[in-house]
Amino acid sequence: MKLADRVEAVPPSGIRRFFELAEEREDVISLGVGEPDFAAPWSAREAAIDSLERGRTSYTANRGMAELRAAIAAHVDDRYDLQYDPDEEVLVTAGASEALDVAFRALVDPGDRVAVAQPAYVSYVPGVTFAGGEVVDVPTRAAEEFVLTAEALERHGAADAELLVLCYPNNPTGATMSRDELEPVARFAREHDLTVLSDEIYAALTYAGEHASIATLPGMAERTIVFNGFSKAYAMTGLRLGYALGPPAAVTAMNRIHQYSLLSAPTTAQHAALDALEHCGNAVAEMRSQYDRRRRFVLSRFAEMGIDCFEATGAFYAFPESPRADAAAFAEALLEETGVAVVPGGVFGAGGAGHLRVSYATGLADLREAMDRIERFVG
Amino acid sequence: MNGRDEDASSRDDGGDRAELRALLSENARHSIADLARLADMDEAAVEATIEELESEGVIRGYQAVVDPSRVEPEPVRALVECNVTLDRETGYDDIAARLVEFPEANSLRLVSGDYDFALEVEGDSMSEVSRFIAEKVAPVPEITQTVTHYIMDTYKERGIEMSDGHEDDRLSVSP
Ligand SMILES: Cc1ncc(COP(=O)(O)O)c(C=O)c1O
């Protein structure tokens, strides 16, 4: 069977190889996991069960249940000072993943240039490619704490791109950007008329100061689509629920694709999500404080081992420099000899090489054991 | 009201003190070095703060949470509801002061609702626990009534579940 060229052009994810290596062993402690170790809050799970008991098993409106969209709009206004009209500017999707995919398909024409700040979550580059766009790599640097700068955008040719994709708090680095740091990026976007896709799925997991959304900066709401969801903050990865927020025309275009490809996001998950927004604020705060402790623990352990690691202040990742220049070889040897799985940074694109993504979405006992093993391994 | 020390310092429990209290409540066996890493403090400050919390009586002790069903012979525990009458000379604290002296009394709490004290009693056998309640608790002059509930199974104790917990069914490496 003939496969489409644009699929053949995208290699399988580099994560896959480490997954296969890790699966071969029994005693693995994985610091390679990109999802919470907590289960979804019981209240949200109960709402899902309850919706099933009441027979709520139909499709919802394409854009998502009206009540959920209203709750999302109220939530992002309250937390992040983002104002969106629930009828026109909110699209509920099967994870932020689907929202990103429909955004690329709705906004990118074949040959359009899309600047992607990296290292970054592994879906952006393939998503752009599947949509026929051309990726412009914009690496960020450890020396600048993986913050995206206007100079980097300029230097790597983002000025003639149509779109810019960025993600703060960042997977894989754990970097965050303050309002002041976002300002020059916003100015660059306005000057060069870029549409910004801002993946803020880790917004609730910010440990130093408040999360700032680039869409709140002057002149940005009309050129930005914000992505968020329930996977990370509410530990609901398997329920597959996310959303996009943006100007009416963009959301309508995205919904045009979504209505044909998904019809509507999973109904059971929408009920869980509504409950999560209404009742699970404390559970999120508790998980966040657990992550924050582990973050401090991991950063201190790396410092004591003499492993260079900038102070990650978001998500649940640390991004230390690899003790050996070839991070992939180091990660493989570490797994082989100690059973500790981490992901080499190069998998996450430009600027990631020479680093390791260390996820601290793991219980403290395992985290301690893993750090002990790493210490013995590098010692 | 309960005669404990309530000066300002033992109530001022924000910041590092609150964080250490929370960490130790979750796991009292954290090493000083780990507490320092987790709370972002230096080790000397951790030790000094814990000492302070202990000497002020904020932290009263450290114990293992034991699953009684895995202990041979399984201890017998009962919750005893106690109703009391008070008079001009005798308040709740006076009655409590007598009850806490019994080593069989595991916990004692004053509660709102239909009865006054919730007393948890532990012994080696049902007859030992019954005898203790009949001979030591019920005869206390201010106690007008007791209702005893034997504990049949324990699922969660001090925030810790007794089941073997949820398997981690996540993919070992994911984006
Ligand atoms: C930065 C980032 N964006 C999006 C996603 C996908 O999230 P969802 O589960 O909502 O599809 C992830 C998941 O790892 C992520 O790390």
Side-chain angles (χ1 to χ4, degrees):
Chain A
M1 192 187 297
K2 179 189 168 297
L3 302 178
D5 292 343
R6 63 179 184 287
V7 176
E8 306 250 47
V10 174
S13 161
I15 293 267
R16 187 78 209 169
R17 174 171 164 65
F18 273 82
F19 169 69
E20 279 159 9
L21 288 174
E23 288 294 292
E24 283 169 16
R25 292 183 59 127
E26 285 283 297
D27 60 336
V28 169
I29 300 182
S30 184
L31 308 184
V33 186
E35 61 178 321
D37 55 314
F38 302 101
W42 174 241
S43 171
R45 282 187 273 158
E46 212 173 30
I49 295 165
D50 185 52
S51 75
L52 289 171
E53 282 182 347
R54 285 184 292 123
R56 301 292 163 89
T57 51
S58 316
Y59 297 126
T60 68
N62 294 142
R63 289 169 185 242
M65 300 190 306
E67 216 182 337
L68 175 59
R69 276 180 281 130
I72 289 168
H75 175 79
V76 297
D77 189 359
D78 179 51
R79 294 301 158 91
Y80 310 121
D81 197 24
L82 291 166
Q83 286 83 38
Y84 289 97
D85 173 12
D87 293 329
E88 308 253 342
E89 302 178 318
V90 178
L91 180 65
V92 177
T93 54
S97 301
E98 193 227 340
L100 286 158
D101 179 51
V102 296
F104 291 132
R105 289 199 274 159
L107 302 176
V108 177
D109 272 323
D112 279 356
R113 291 159 66 83
V114 179
V116 179
Q118 298 171 29
Y121 179 54
V122 296
S123 306
Y124 309 142
V125 169
V128 171
T129 311
F130 291 141
E134 277 179 29
V135 173
V136 178
D137 297 329
V138 182
T140 59
R141 303 190 308 135
E144 289 161 348
E145 306 212 315
F146 295 103
V147 155
L148 177 62
T149 61
E151 296 77 67
L153 287 165
E154 189 74 60
R155 184 153 19 98
H156 296 281
D160 32 86
E162 308 287 331
L163 271 82
L164 166 64
V165 184
L166 58 95
C167 172
Y168 290 94
N170 183 266
N171 175 6
T173 64
T176 55
M177 280 180 74
S178 67
R179 203 182 155 80
D180 287 347
E181 288 165 333
L182 287 167
E183 194 73 67
V185 174
R187 195 178 317 121
F188 187 93
R190 288 189 305 263
E191 274 170 20
H192 301 284
D193 196 22
L194 299 183
T195 293
V196 175
L197 304 190
S198 181
D199 183 349
E200 301 178 17
I201 194 157
Y202 291 101
L205 303 179
T206 301
Y207 310 108
E210 301 274 299
H211 170 71
S213 173
I214 193 166
T216 59
L217 296 177
M220 291 307 292
E222 57 262 42
R223 61 173 65 254
T224 303
I225 300 175
V226 173
F227 300 85
N228 206 329
F230 296 86
S231 286
K232 313 297 171 170
Y234 298 94
M236 281 170 43
T237 41
L239 279 90
R240 310 304 307 121
L241 208 74
Y243 53 89
L245 310 165
V251 169
T252 300
M254 289 166 65
N255 185 40
R256 177 100 33 98
I257 300 171
H258 169 80
Q259 72 182 192
Y260 291 119
S261 59
L262 254 285
L263 233 159
S264 60
T267 301
T268 311
Q270 292 192 51
H271 286 281
L274 180 59
D275 183 89
L277 291 172
E278 285 173 349
H279 302 296
C280 299
N282 286 342
V284 174
E286 175 55 30
M287 290 187 274
R288 183 187 161 284
S289 91
Q290 297 286 350
Y291 292 133
D292 192 17
R293 282 178 191 152
R294 299 170 184 178
R295 178 183 72 94
R296 294 190 293 243
F297 178 77
V298 165
L299 292 175
S300 318
R301 290 296 301 264
F302 282 138
E304 291 159 26
M305 289 178 220
I307 293 178
D308 243 345
C309 187
F310 89 103
E311 195 190 333
T313 50
F316 34 63
Y317 309 107
F319 204 60
E321 227 168 72
S322 170
R324 295 182 207 151
D326 184 344
F330 176 82
E332 233 170 278
L334 181 70
L335 179 57
E336 191 134 307
E337 283 174 40
T338 72
V340 174
V342 299
V343 182
V347 161
F348 301 95
H355 289 79
L356 303 166
R357 188 190 73 173
V358 175
S359 162
Y360 49 83
T362 292
L364 205 44
D366 274 350
L367 210 48
R368 186 185 291 121
E369 172 63 23
M371 297 313 272
D372 288 348
R373 292 189 197 176
I374 294 175
E375 182 161 21
R376 285 196 295 271
F377 183 69
V378 301
Chain B
M1 183 206 81
N2 54 21
R4 284 184 222 139
D5 176 27
E6 289 214 5
D7 68 39
S9 69
S10 63
R11 275 177 291 142
D12 171 28
D13 218 9
D16 290 346
R17 287 168 59 102
E19 182 66 3
L20 284 179
R21 195 161 40 73
L23 282 165
L24 288 169
S25 300
E26 266 178 30
N27 179 1
R29 295 199 65 203
H30 283 308
S31 66
I32 297 293
D34 278 353
L35 288 169
R37 296 177 183 119
L38 290 162
D40 201 14
M41 298 168 68
D42 63 48
E43 293 186 22
V46 169
E47 277 183 300
T49 307
I50 292 176
E51 222 157 86
E52 209 174 274
L53 289 165
E54 288 171 351
S55 69
E56 288 169 9
V58 176
I59 290 179
R60 291 278 164 172
Y62 305 89
Q63 291 183 330
V65 176
V66 172
D67 182 346
S69 72
R70 292 179 197 236
V71 175
E72 217 29 82
E74 186 172 341
V76 174
R77 295 195 291 173
L79 289 174
V80 188
E81 303 174 357
C82 305
N83 275 299
V84 302
T85 52
L86 303 179
D87 60 37
R88 231 173 303 158
E89 270 85 54
T90 323
Y92 288 123
D93 290 353
D94 302 305
I95 303 165
R98 299 181 58 168
L99 291 173
V100 296
E101 290 294 334
F102 293 112
E104 292 87 344
N106 249 351
S107 74
L108 178 68
R109 298 180 172 96
L110 183 64
V111 297
S112 64
D114 289 343
Y115 54 96
D116 300 302
F117 286 107
L119 169 67
E120 193 190 306
V121 176
E122 182 172 326
D124 291 337
S125 66
M126 208 136 159
S127 62
E128 184 187 309
V129 171
S130 307
R131 209 166 341 107
F132 169 71
I133 295 163
E135 293 173 10
K136 303 291 183 188
V137 180
V140 171
E142 294 83 6
I143 293 183
T144 55
Q145 193 195 15
T146 63
V147 178
T148 301
H149 306 272
Y150 282 97
I151 294 174
M152 297 165 69
D153 215 341
T154 300
Y155 299 95
K156 194 175 184 183
E157 183 90 41
R158 309 196 52 190
I160 295 176
E161 287 182 45
M162 297 295 148
S163 70
D164 282 333
H166 317 283
E167 281 255 321
D168 189 345
D169 55 3
R170 297 177 298 163
L171 299 177
S172 55
V173 179
S174 58

